[in-house]
Amino acid sequence: MELNDLYRDVILDHNRRPRNFGPLENADASAEGFNPLCGDRLTLRLNLGDDTIRDIRFEGQGCAISTASASLMTEAVKGKTRNEALALFERVHKLLTDDEAGAEDLGKLAALSGVREYPARVKCASLCWHTLASALKSAPSSAAPAVSTE
Ligand code: ZN
């Protein structure tokens, strides 16, 4: 099996059966994302305790890549601290935009590297991550992280 086939299967599976899809009660933080290039819409809700993502769910409508990316993201960041999730966002952004970026330690998120072949779809795949970053940055925190924009 080609690696690209494996990646495609992961994307198709997560589009067909998105994980953590639906409303989330008692959310501490939320954000909405919109990708005008494709029409993808996404609402992300999080439960944060001790600065850790205890639960995360998403709703919205979008193309297969945006839905699969959001599904993969919710699985990947659940249980991570705010800073760990933001660091993962940086890794994924690099994976989507840098042909040289490795994905060995990214698990299923490596499937997103297939999007690099379709530059017009990078925004579809990164929408949920940008939405997550804005939700995390807007959430109240006892120890607000210093977020670098460099
Ligand atoms: Zn899209």
Side-chain angles (χ1 to χ4, degrees), residues 35 37-40 62-67 120-121 123-125:
N35 170 20
L37 293 177
C38 180
D40 309 313
C63 65
I65 290 173
S66 72
T67 300
R121 312 309 295 278
K123 288 242 180 333
C124 300

Side-chain angles (χ1 to χ4, degrees), residues 10-132:
V10 170
I11 298 289
L12 290 175
D13 175 48
H14 278 259
N15 175 53
R16 212 176 289 132
R17 296 186 300 119
R19 319 302 198 267
N20 304 304
F21 185 86
L24 178 66
E25 287 183 20
N26 305 319
D28 305 307
S30 68
E32 293 184 11
F34 176 53
N35 170 20
L37 293 177
C38 180
D40 309 313
R41 286 183 187 280
L42 177 82
T43 302
L44 205 57
R45 294 187 184 88
L46 290 80
N47 278 343
L48 286 166
D50 294 334
D51 236 32
T52 299
I53 299 171
R54 303 294 179 190
D55 204 358
I56 176 169
R57 293 176 72 81
F58 76 101
E59 292 183 283
Q61 275 202 313
C63 65
I65 290 173
S66 72
T67 300
S69 181
S71 174
L72 287 162
M73 180 191 77
T74 55
E75 279 197 327
V77 302
K78 201 182 282 192
K80 288 207 173 349
T81 66
R82 186 190 309 235
N83 282 341
E84 284 169 349
L86 291 171
L88 192 57
F89 166 52
E90 298 296 331
R91 284 290 320 274
V92 170
H93 192 261
K94 198 169 165 55
L95 179 72
L96 289 170
T97 55
D98 181 352
D99 284 339
E100 305 294 315
E104 300 77 24
D105 56 336
L106 285 175
K108 281 192 210 165
L109 290 172
L112 296 173
S113 67
V115 174
R116 286 198 295 230
E117 292 168 43
Y118 311 95
R121 312 309 295 278
V122 167
K123 288 242 180 333
C124 300
S126 62
L127 173 67
C128 61
W129 290 92
H130 287 290
T131 309
L132 173 67

